[in-house]
Amino acid sequence: QTQAQAQLTNLDIDPFLKMFEVEGVQGHSSIAGLVSVSGPLRAPRQMQGEAQISQLSVSLGGVPLKSEGPLHAQLRNGNLHLDPLHITGDDTDLRAQGDAGILEERHPMNFQAQGSINMKLLQTLRSDVDSSGQVTFTMNAGGTFKNPALTGQVKLSNVAMSVESFPNGLSQLNGTLQFTQDRLQVQSLTGTTGGGQVNVTGYITYQQGIYADLTATGKDIRIRYPAGISSMIDTKLRLQGTQSAFMLSGNVQLTRFTINPNLDFASFNRVSAISAAPPDPNAFSNRVRLNIHITSSPDLDFQNSYAKLAGDVDLRIRGTVAQPSVLGRITITEGSATFAGTKYELQHGEIFFSNPVRIEPVIDIDATTHVEDYDITIGVHGTPSNLTPTFRSEPPLTQQDIFSLLAMGRTQEEQQIYSQQAQQAGVNTTADAILGGALNATLSSRIQKLFGGGSVKIDPSWVGSLGNSTARITVSQQVSKNATLTYATNINSTAQQLIQAEVNVTPTVSILAVRDESGVFSLLFKVHRRYR
């Protein structure tokens, strides 16, 4: 038999939170009152108790809460009786009263609660969550603690919520949820994420544990992840299962895809090379399995200041939220890219995802370009951590000549002759190459942003056929899929202008009309044929 009594004066809960290592909850309080218990310790259901709290003031996560009037509760035979309680705070007003069996599961309940809650209180439970808005509710609980019978309603008003580890948050969340027996039914729930609308339907039941069946439908949702990549999607996802085993499944359609020109692709290689620690098996993210199908819309095109691509996406995300895996492929059907004034046409492009353990793409891309009288093919093959570039040309050139042709526009032999001419003209070819590359990158990007295409190439000290050095500007614009117009002029002599139009009749036949710097007009027919 036990009789115990505790007198409370300005009690602060913060030391107790630290002592019991309660993570994610930070708070202070000022509690005054009297608590007493009596009865046999070996039989808790026979214990009697009473709490008379004259002062209750709590601050959770910077949100102050206090009781309006005293708090009185009694414990009799496993049943807790609560006299009317009124708690107030910033945008928070709670009222509760009734009886609930806390030690006897079969004891009938008769409990009522109503009021409004400031969603900032959620931040006290999770430090990585940023939340705001207001939730109002009315709830009546009958039945037993094991099999409750709930009636009432929950209303969300302008609720916003974001988690640090997720690229998108929810805002302007408004809706109504209805309590019916052991079910919380979503009558209407809409919100905004990534600039798009989200609509949620479904229910959550509480009977021998929590079971959820929720469906979210979204349209025109923008996702900026990873950094430098922006996607727009339409989606329909379903979350189903118990609190120990959820399944997130559904379809995602990719409608738009853009990449920042300043994106550092090498950073992805560094991240993939780092072996992450295995997730906590008890973490919630490890209990949510994934089965999401990602496809692309028929009119999906990718375009930035460097490249234009079109293709198909067919991926399947499996695994868990903690350890996802990607299976499937990305097929690039057509595309072009411009670097340093040289245009590359995609011939073949596929990215495979076949590793069921980790996200590891296998890249298989081939692109061609035409420089001078040479057709150059560049291939990129392998995984991001082990990429193998290949270079070949028609007519055949050494790899060093291909590099020289792509960087300087001339083979090594032609570059040697040009360097001799430049030295006679008093020109520093190395400094001019560096300066020209910087100018080309800057101006080409600005020209494409202004006019939607085209490229500009600047040679600060171009040595012409007369042996004199002058600055030269070359502007190239693809006027159609098979036609390209090129204009070049010397800064010091406007009479020395090059105008060239090239039309690709077939993949192997092209017509070239040229008016060169000397004012001579010519018409060239080019036929490309490969013999094996």
Side-chain angles (χ1 to χ4, degrees):
Q1 292 292 328
T2 300
Q3 281 191 338
Q5 189 177 81
Q7 181 75 36
L8 309 180
T9 304
N10 294 326
L11 177 67
D12 190 357
I13 62 174
D14 183 62
F16 296 95
L17 296 176
K18 294 179 180 178
M19 180 174 63
F20 293 105
E21 298 180 353
V22 180
E23 298 181 356
V25 178
Q26 296 180 352
H28 295 274
S29 67
S30 177
I31 303 175
L34 182 66
V35 179
S36 61
V37 293
S38 63
L41 288 178
R42 185 171 291 182
R45 295 177 184 176
Q46 300 178 22
M47 298 284 290
Q48 313 291 328
E50 184 176 12
Q52 294 180 335
I53 305 300
S54 59
Q55 178 184 342
L56 176 60
S57 177
V58 180
S59 177
L60 294 175
V63 179
L65 301 172
K66 67 177 182 177
S67 65
E68 298 292 337
L71 181 155
H72 182 254
Q74 286 183 315
L75 178 65
R76 295 287 185 272
N77 300 321
N79 180 65
L80 177 66
H81 172 77
L82 178 66
D83 286 346
L85 171 67
H86 188 194
I87 302 293
T88 61
D90 292 342
D91 295 327
T92 300
D93 191 300
L94 300 175
R95 297 177 184 269
Q97 66 178 35
D99 298 274
I102 59 174
L103 297 178
E104 177 59 58
E105 294 181 347
R106 297 180 181 179
H107 197 287
M109 286 195 303
N110 183 16
F111 192 83
Q112 301 86 38
Q114 62 181 354
S116 60
I117 299 176
N118 188 343
M119 285 300 293
K120 286 185 178 180
L121 288 173
L122 184 60
Q123 299 175 183
T124 65
L125 302 177
R126 291 285 301 272
S127 59
D128 59 342
V129 172
D130 187 12
S131 57
S132 62
Q134 193 175 52
V135 175
T136 59
F137 70 95
T138 58
M139 184 184 68
N140 296 317
T144 64
F145 187 79
K146 187 175 182 180
N147 296 306
L150 305 177
T151 59
Q153 189 180 78
V154 178
K155 186 176 181 180
L156 287 77
S157 301
N158 292 324
V159 172
M161 187 183 309
S162 62
V163 183
E164 288 182 2
S165 57
F166 284 81
N168 280 34
L170 281 170
S171 62
Q172 300 178 13
L173 194 62
N174 297 278
T176 303
L177 291 75
Q178 190 77 31
F179 285 107
T180 306
Q181 296 300 319
D182 61 348
R183 172 179 294 200
L184 179 61
Q185 183 76 37
V186 180
Q187 288 189 335
S188 65
L189 186 60
T190 60
T192 302
T193 179
Q197 293 294 318
V198 177
N199 182 43
V200 180
T201 59
Y203 63 90
I204 300 174
T205 62
Y206 179 78
Q207 188 174 11
Q208 297 180 351
I210 294 177
Y211 177 84
D213 189 352
L214 300 171
T215 301
T217 304
K219 187 172 180 61
D220 296 334
I221 298 174
R222 185 179 298 277
I223 299 176
R224 291 182 172 89
Y225 182 84
I229 296 178
S230 176
S231 309
M232 185 168 286
I233 63 171
D234 297 337
T235 182
K236 185 175 183 180
L237 299 176
R238 183 182 184 184
L239 180 65
Q240 187 180 24
T242 64
Q243 57 190 3
S244 60
F246 279 110
M247 169 65 78
L248 181 62
S249 60
N251 298 307
V252 175
Q253 187 179 56
L254 190 64
T255 59
R256 190 177 299 174
F257 184 79
T258 58
I259 297 180
N260 191 317
N262 299 321
L263 177 64
D264 182 12
F265 286 96
S267 62
F268 295 102
N269 187 14
R270 292 192 295 268
V271 173
S272 62
I274 299 174
S275 57
D280 182 3
N282 298 321
F284 177 75
S285 59
N286 209 36
R287 299 197 296 267
V288 181
R289 293 182 294 124
L290 301 173
N291 185 16
I292 302 174
H293 189 203
I294 301 178
T295 58
S296 58
S297 61
D299 56 346
L300 175 67
D301 290 326
F302 160 74
Q303 179 177 350
N304 69 359
S305 58
Y306 294 122
K308 298 179 182 179
L309 301 174
D312 300 318
V313 177
D314 190 356
L315 301 173
R316 182 78 64 174
I317 301 180
R318 297 290 180 88
T320 64
V321 173
Q323 283 187 312
S325 63
V326 178
L327 301 174
R329 70 169 58 189
I330 300 174
T331 303
I332 306 173
T333 56
E334 60 178 337
S336 62
T338 301
F339 296 99
T342 303
K343 185 176 180 180
Y344 298 82
E345 293 288 345
L346 183 76
Q347 298 298 314
H348 170 81
E350 285 185 317
I351 302 176
F352 299 90
F353 294 84
S354 56
N355 193 332
V357 179
R358 56 183 297 184
I359 302 176
E360 186 178 46
V362 179
I363 301 171
D364 184 15
I365 296 177
D366 290 305
T368 62
T369 186
H370 186 80
V371 182
E372 296 295 331
D373 295 325
Y374 298 91
D375 292 320
I376 299 174
T377 302
I378 301 175
V380 179
H381 311 279
T383 62
S385 59
N386 188 23
L387 282 178
T388 304
T390 59
F391 303 88
R392 64 180 185 271
S393 68
E394 290 290 342
L397 290 172
T398 65
Q399 195 171 84
Q400 290 75 14
D401 276 333
I402 294 176
F403 291 157
S404 178
L405 199 62
L406 293 176
M408 304 293 184
R410 310 172 188 89
T411 63
Q412 286 184 310
E413 184 179 358
E414 292 171 343
Q415 179 62 29
Q416 189 175 9
I417 297 173
Y418 183 81
S419 297
Q420 293 176 356
Q421 296 176 347
Q423 288 177 1
Q424 294 175 1
V427 176
N428 188 335
T429 57
T430 303
D432 290 339
I434 297 174
L435 177 60
L439 291 173
N440 293 335
T442 303
L443 286 180
S444 293
S445 177
R446 294 185 179 274
I447 289 293
Q448 288 169 355
K449 289 180 180 179
L450 287 173
F451 302 105
S455 63
V456 177
K457 187 174 182 180
I458 299 177
D459 195 336
S461 56
W462 179 73
V463 180
S465 57
L466 300 178
N468 58 334
S469 173
T470 181
R472 190 191 200 201
I473 299 177
T474 304
V475 181
S476 180
Q477 174 67 44
Q478 186 172 3
V479 294
S480 69
K481 185 177 181 180
N482 298 320
T484 304
L485 185 64
T486 303
Y487 171 79
T489 182
N490 299 340
I491 298 298
N492 297 336
S493 177
T494 57
Q496 295 185 15
Q497 296 178 344
L498 169 71
I499 301 175
Q500 174 181 296
E502 183 175 5
V503 179
N504 297 320
V505 181
T506 68
T508 59
V509 178
S510 61
I511 301 174
L512 194 65
V514 183
R515 186 267 189 194
D516 64 16
E517 291 89 342
S518 303
V520 177
F521 291 87
S522 58
L523 191 64
L524 291 83
F525 295 87
K526 292 186 176 182
V527 179
H528 179 83
R529 186 179 298 274
R530 172 178 290 183
Y531 298 94
R532 294 187 178 181

